[in-house]
Amino acid sequence: MSEKAPQNTAELIINGTSYLLPIIEGEQGDKAIDIRGLLRQTGFTVFDTGFKNSASCSSTITYMDGSKGILRYRGYAIEDLAERCLFIEVAYLLLHNKLPNREELESFRTMLEQFALMHEDMIHFFDNFPPNASPMSILSVMVNSLHNYYPEMSDDPLVNIDITASRLISKVRTIASFSYKKSIGQPLVYPRYDLSYCGNFLNMMFDNPVRPYIVLPEVVAALNKLLILHADHEQNCSTSAVRLVGSAGGNLYASISAGINALWGPLHGGANEAVIQMLEAIHADNNDYKKYIAKAKDKSDPFRLSGFGHRVYRTYDPRGKIIKDACRGILAALNVDDPLLEIAGKLEEIVLCDDYFVSRNLYPNIDFYSGIIYRALGIPTNMFTVMFALGRLPGWIAQWKEMREDQSTKIYRPRQIYTGAPPRHFIPLGERS
Ligand code: CMC
């Protein structure tokens, strides 16, 4: 046992033997014990279900401080970006580690518009899904299939990454709106060169031959803000899925498709849909908040209050705060009076005074109010998580690119602690009782 471990080292004592492990420090002072040599040095692994205590990589993309409620993309405060940027500017920032100048933004915009069409053969895919197919399953299938139509990345995935990234960011919007049109039996509306990224998406969603859609600036601005707030969130479940598939050498489309599937779950991106279902249920139950709060606190009931809690934030999710502050204004500008807004406000008020939630630092997250805005924009509930995916896409791509450029990347391959049967004697089929 050492008298005192040297500076920037952690001393680990296992059964009386001392091991020194390096301490690494991030740009903002976050510290970690570097255990990369642990197994080799000690013969021990670490047990960390859900990776609650593990940093899976180092990254230059997004910074979060969970106790102070800080979120920055590439060093820029989320509040500034959400207030003052276009979504495609933020996408460029995430991908290139710099805010674009006018020329760079224009050329990125042109590239996005140029790639907006989908190969016509792919449009037939939509006919083969059942009428009630989930838009998330359609999105993941279509994105995975893009690899067959646009295989440029096969030889060296990083050579054409800008083209592939633009193609994905552009086409995902077309895929999402086409899947909606198919689900409601309306003719597809093709992308238009003259519309903005968000305007184009809204037009493809809501324009139809008998009732042309008027792209309102308030609606575009609200969507733009939401997509920026979704754009990245460091090593969350879906981003880790993207990195995991990419770490095995999987192509970008396959990796993003995995991310879409991970996002789908109600504990992750699917929470925005679950929040609306929960608020509707409370409304239908004569605003019986107490019943739902009691259910959420009951450990024998799997029900949780959707839109509350976060793995990293121990305070109000800064994205949730921006959305909440914007919510009333957006609904007023659109002349929408949604009873769910009052219910959400009241539920939040009660929860934030309840000892169960206070003692566990459970605050509203991004998904608590986002669905109310999506509803006001006319987006159907089953498309909410698709909207999250549209926003998260640039972050997923930036994270995938960062991982592939990093020479020290290893395939994701956690260990386990085996708790199954001890070695057993094999009995041939005919002799088994
Ligand atoms: N309702 C009731 N209890 C909760 C909730 C909730 N929403 N969230 C956490 N808890 C309790 C949990 O039961 C546990 O209690 P105890 O210590 O007595 O066992 C404690 O709080 C800690 O929870 P945890 O499950 O260990 O925390 P986690 O970091 O593993 O989970 C979470 C984080 C987001 C999955 C969880 O808070 C949750 O299920 N929230 C509801 C779903 C949701 O809103 N998800 C969106 C997250 S933000 C956007 C995104 O990432 O996609």
Side-chain angles (χ1 to χ4, degrees):
M1 200 178 308
S2 67
E3 281 293 295
K4 189 169 180 256
Q7 196 68 11
N8 289 327
T9 18
E11 184 178 19
L12 173 68
I13 300 164
I14 306 176
N15 297 331
T17 308
S18 156
Y19 302 92
L20 290 181
L21 299 165
I23 289 178
I24 52 174
E25 193 167 333
E27 213 281 325
Q28 292 291 305
D30 33 343
K31 293 190 181 67
I33 300 169
D34 183 348
I35 58 160
R36 282 175 291 180
L38 186 73
L39 180 60
R40 191 172 22 84
Q41 257 181 289
T42 68
F44 282 80
T45 57
V46 289
F47 187 58
D48 186 24
T49 49
F51 311 118
K52 278 200 166 193
N53 303 279
S54 298
S56 63
C57 61
S58 57
S59 176
T60 61
I61 301 171
T62 288
Y63 175 72
M64 288 170 75
D65 181 328
S67 55
K68 295 194 187 122
I70 293 173
L71 174 62
R72 297 186 200 120
Y73 299 160
R74 302 286 194 185
Y76 294 100
I78 189 66
E79 291 77 8
D80 287 337
L81 297 172
E83 184 62 35
R84 301 159 71 172
C85 278
L86 289 175
F87 171 63
I88 63 167
E89 249 177 296
V90 172
Y92 188 99
L93 168 70
L94 289 168
L95 293 169
H96 298 280
N97 195 13
K98 73 188 275 280
L99 281 167
N101 60 29
R102 276 185 203 288
E103 261 170 43
E104 288 162 336
L105 185 64
E106 189 48 31
S107 96
F108 187 44
R109 196 196 72 80
T110 308
M111 213 143 120
L112 290 175
E113 295 319 328
Q114 183 183 325
F115 291 136
L117 278 175
M118 221 189 313
H119 193 294
E120 279 293 304
D121 288 356
M122 286 190 76
I123 290 169
H124 301 303
F125 290 12
F126 290 109
D127 296 331
N128 296 309
F129 289 98
N132 293 327
S134 158
M136 283 299 274
S137 84
I138 297 178
L139 190 67
S140 85
V141 167
M142 297 298 278
V143 166
N144 211 359
S145 307
L146 284 173
H147 175 67
N148 302 312
Y149 290 86
Y150 308 99
E152 290 87 346
M153 293 188 75
S154 300
D155 296 336
D156 182 348
L158 294 172
V159 170
N160 290 307
I161 181 76
D162 283 349
I163 293 180
T164 311
S166 311
R167 183 168 273 149
L168 253 172
I169 293 171
S170 187
K171 289 198 193 321
V172 156
R173 177 185 57 165
T174 313
I175 293 170
S177 49
F178 280 18
S179 69
Y180 173 61
K181 284 296 196 194
K182 280 284 179 185
S183 75
I184 57 169
Q186 284 191 4
L188 302 180
V189 177
Y190 280 73
R192 272 174 38 190
Y193 195 81
D194 59 319
L195 293 175
S196 67
Y197 184 88
C198 292
N200 227 328
F201 172 73
L202 290 162
N203 191 61
M204 286 191 277
M205 285 284 289
F206 300 123
D207 188 54
N208 72 53
V210 289
R211 191 157 190 199
Y213 180 71
I214 297 162
V215 183
L216 292 175
E218 299 87 341
V219 178
V220 170
L223 178 60
N224 184 66
K225 196 186 279 290
L226 287 170
L227 294 186
I228 290 173
L229 294 174
H230 286 313
D232 195 55
H233 216 221
E234 51 117 301
Q235 307 313 316
N236 55 82
C237 179
S238 56
T239 302
S240 297
V242 168
R243 279 187 178 252
L244 185 135
V245 173
S247 78
N251 70 71
L252 180 62
Y253 301 114
S255 307
I256 299 296
S257 179
I260 292 166
N261 287 320
L263 186 74
W264 194 354
L267 298 187
H268 191 12
N272 55 13
E273 197 176 326
V275 167
I276 295 298
Q277 284 155 359
M278 176 183 77
L279 296 176
E280 280 173 341
I282 295 175
H283 192 37
D285 241 345
N286 296 318
N287 297 351
D288 189 354
Y289 301 99
K290 278 193 184 152
K291 176 175 155 189
Y292 290 85
I293 290 175
K295 260 169 85 63
K297 287 157 60 169
D298 179 357
K299 292 291 173 201
S300 63
D301 189 327
F303 176 78
R304 286 188 164 195
L305 279 192
S306 295
F308 283 86
H310 195 273
R311 170 62 61 82
V312 182
Y313 295 123
R314 293 285 158 253
T315 181
Y316 217 112
D317 179 337
R319 306 164 302 170
K321 191 165 184 306
I322 296 170
I323 293 183
K324 183 188 174 188
D325 292 347
C327 203
R328 221 165 268 284
I330 292 171
L331 264 60
L334 300 176
N335 248 330
V336 172
D337 182 18
D338 187 343
L340 296 193
L341 180 58
E342 294 315 316
I343 294 174
K346 186 74 190 154
L347 183 63
E348 179 189 341
E349 205 182 298
I350 302 172
V351 164
L352 294 186
C353 295
D354 187 303
D355 194 49
Y356 173 95
F357 295 91
V358 173
S359 62
R360 289 170 178 75
N361 299 308
L362 301 171
Y363 291 86
N365 57 48
I366 186 168
D367 293 318
F368 192 57
Y369 285 100
S370 63
I372 295 177
I373 302 187
Y374 284 133
R375 261 161 78 95
L377 304 186
I379 310 278
T381 312
N382 70 349
M383 288 287 289
F384 288 1
T385 314
V386 169
M387 304 307 296
F388 196 149
L390 287 191
R392 183 55 54 86
L393 188 55
W396 284 333
I397 300 171
Q399 299 271 353
W400 187 93
K401 181 171 171 247
E402 181 179 71
M403 180 201 57
R404 293 295 275 259
E405 282 168 349
D406 181 352
Q407 301 293 321
S408 68
T409 292
K410 303 267 183 231
I411 186 169
Y412 276 39
R413 204 308 184 184
R415 296 287 180 136
Q416 65 162 18
I417 303 296
Y418 176 70
T419 56
R424 292 197 254 190
H425 178 67
F426 180 78
I427 303 164
L429 182 59
E431 295 170 25
R432 285 175 218 156
S433 55

